[in-house]
């Protein structure tokens, strides 16, 4: 049987009032990447989202991003390895406190937006992030772009790395994501996104914008919780995978 993890970025709105979309998504996905208050969200949202994830038994991960709420952490900016280390450590530590108080355990770390892509293309930044995980808790898994330098560094350092693919993003021929500044970056056609998801699971590959098949060992599929149709797409994706006899489960090895 094929298996795959579905992860979703959550906790990206401020306040302590229930976020009904986030809570509904937690009934669908197997892993949750919870914003740590820098690119989005705040302490109140961290607490409520963690509690909802613990209640449902969803695997919890810290979702650190650049300190840039104005741009939702999606605009690259220069950052040194030392700054990356401090930025990520601070946010992991913050979320872990909420997880501990809620009676849960943190399972993974997944970077957000521009920080994710910057690290995926820079060995020194990848080494800094890997060192954070080693120093904080080496049992944590590091979610990283499949085939990226982050995967190489994490494996070299003995970390458990989970290689990630994106249901709603397009790829370059080298396996990197098309920049969000490019109008082709996002897949808006639902059928195309579902087809790409099946391709990632069953053929361990993605199709680039120039129609090449790029081999990638994909263990988790990311969906985004901030889109207008995030909830309906998540349900369609789960249903579609199950119809293809693909079992949805968080990483356990």
């Amino acid at each position: 049987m094929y298996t795959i993890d579905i992860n979703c970025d959550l906790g990206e709105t401020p306040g302590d009032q229930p976020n009904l979309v986030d809570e509904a998504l937690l009934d669908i996905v197997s892993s949750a990447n919870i914003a740590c208050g820098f690119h989005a969200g705040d302490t109140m949202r961290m607490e409520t989202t963690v509690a909802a994830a613990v209640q449902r038994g969803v695997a919890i991960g810290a979702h650190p991003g650049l300190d840039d709420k104005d741009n939702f952490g999606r605009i690259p900016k220069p950052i040194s390895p030392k700054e990356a280390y401090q930025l990520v450590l601070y946010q992991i530590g913050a979320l872990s406190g909420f997880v501990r108080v809620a009676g849960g355990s943190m399972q993974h770390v997944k970077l957000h937006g521009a920080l994710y892509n910057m690290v995926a293309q820079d060995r020194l930044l990848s080494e800094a992030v890997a060192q954070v995980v080693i120093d904080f808790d080496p049992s944590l898994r590091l979610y990283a772009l499949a085939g990226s330098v982050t995967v190489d560094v994490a494996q070299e350092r003995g970390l458990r790395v989970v290689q990630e693919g994106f249901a709603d993003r397009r790829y370059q021929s080298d396996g990197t994501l098309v920049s969000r500044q490019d109008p082709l970056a996002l897949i808006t056609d639902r059928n195309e996104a579902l087809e790409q998801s099946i391709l990632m699971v069953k053929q361990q590959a993605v199709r680039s914008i120039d129609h090449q098949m790029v081999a990638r060992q994909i263990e988790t599929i990311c969906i985004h919780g901030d889109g207008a149709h995030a909830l309906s797409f998540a349900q369609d994706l789960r249903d579609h995978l199950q119809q293809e006899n693909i079992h949805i489960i968080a990483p356990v090895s």
Side-chain angles (χ1 to χ4, degrees):
M1 177 184 290
Y2 294 99
T3 63
I4 195 69
D5 173 47
I6 300 177
N7 78 80
C8 187
D9 305 339
L10 299 172
E12 295 180 322
T13 57
D16 61 354
Q17 295 303 307
N19 183 315
L20 298 182
V21 172
D22 274 15
E23 294 197 9
L25 284 165
L26 284 167
D27 291 324
I28 297 171
V29 302
S30 44
S31 296
N33 320 307
I34 300 177
C36 304
F38 273 35
H39 76 274
D42 57 23
T43 54
M44 291 182 288
R45 181 59 65 206
M46 290 164 71
E47 183 179 39
T48 58
T49 309
V50 165
V54 169
Q55 182 181 40
R56 291 163 174 80
V58 174
I60 295 172
H63 194 41
L66 295 174
D67 188 6
D68 184 14
K69 286 186 178 179
D70 289 343
N71 296 300
F72 201 68
R74 285 179 172 160
I75 304 298
K77 64 178 184 179
I79 186 170
S80 71
K82 184 64 173 178
E83 290 169 326
Y85 180 96
Q86 295 166 340
L87 186 74
V88 173
L89 177 60
Y90 187 98
Q91 293 177 74
I92 293 175
L95 189 77
S96 73
F98 288 104
V99 175
R100 180 178 178 182
V101 169
S105 61
M106 199 158 68
Q107 301 296 314
H108 67 274
V109 174
K110 178 193 162 182
L111 304 180
H112 167 81
L115 182 60
Y116 179 99
N117 290 317
M118 291 160 56
V119 172
Q121 299 175 52
D122 188 312
R123 173 167 280 272
L124 292 179
L125 291 179
S126 290
E127 289 174 350
V129 171
Q131 192 63 49
V132 173
V133 178
I134 291 168
D135 292 345
F136 186 83
D137 182 355
S139 72
L140 292 174
R141 297 170 179 85
L142 180 60
Y143 281 39
L145 180 66
S148 68
V149 68
T150 309
V151 172
D152 294 339
V153 169
Q155 290 175 339
E156 290 166 7
R157 302 295 295 275
L159 292 174
R160 294 187 291 179
V161 61
V162 180
Q163 300 200 53
E164 181 176 43
F166 290 79
D168 61 354
R169 294 291 303 275
R170 290 195 173 92
Y171 287 80
Q172 305 280 9
S173 58
D174 63 357
T176 59
L177 295 172
V178 174
S179 168
R180 277 186 175 269
Q181 278 65 59
D182 189 314
L184 295 176
L186 295 177
I187 296 174
T188 57
D189 181 85
R190 184 160 302 195
N191 290 331
E192 182 183 351
L194 294 174
E195 178 186 354
Q196 172 152 289
S197 300
I198 299 301
L199 183 69
M200 289 191 289
V201 178
K202 291 194 168 181
Q203 297 191 40
Q204 292 285 279
V206 295
R207 184 175 288 111
S208 69
I209 55 174
D210 56 356
H211 309 295
Q212 296 184 50
M213 292 284 281
V214 183
R216 286 292 181 264
Q217 182 183 341
I218 293 170
E219 302 159 288
T220 186
I221 294 175
C222 175
I223 59 176
H224 292 99
D226 61 325
H229 307 290
L231 182 56
S232 63
F233 174 71
Q235 188 62 64
D236 282 355
L237 176 61
R238 186 178 182 93
D239 292 345
H240 198 65
L241 292 171
Q242 291 176 331
Q243 290 166 10
E244 293 285 331
N245 296 314
I246 297 169
H247 185 50
I248 298 164
I249 186 172
V252 294
S253 60

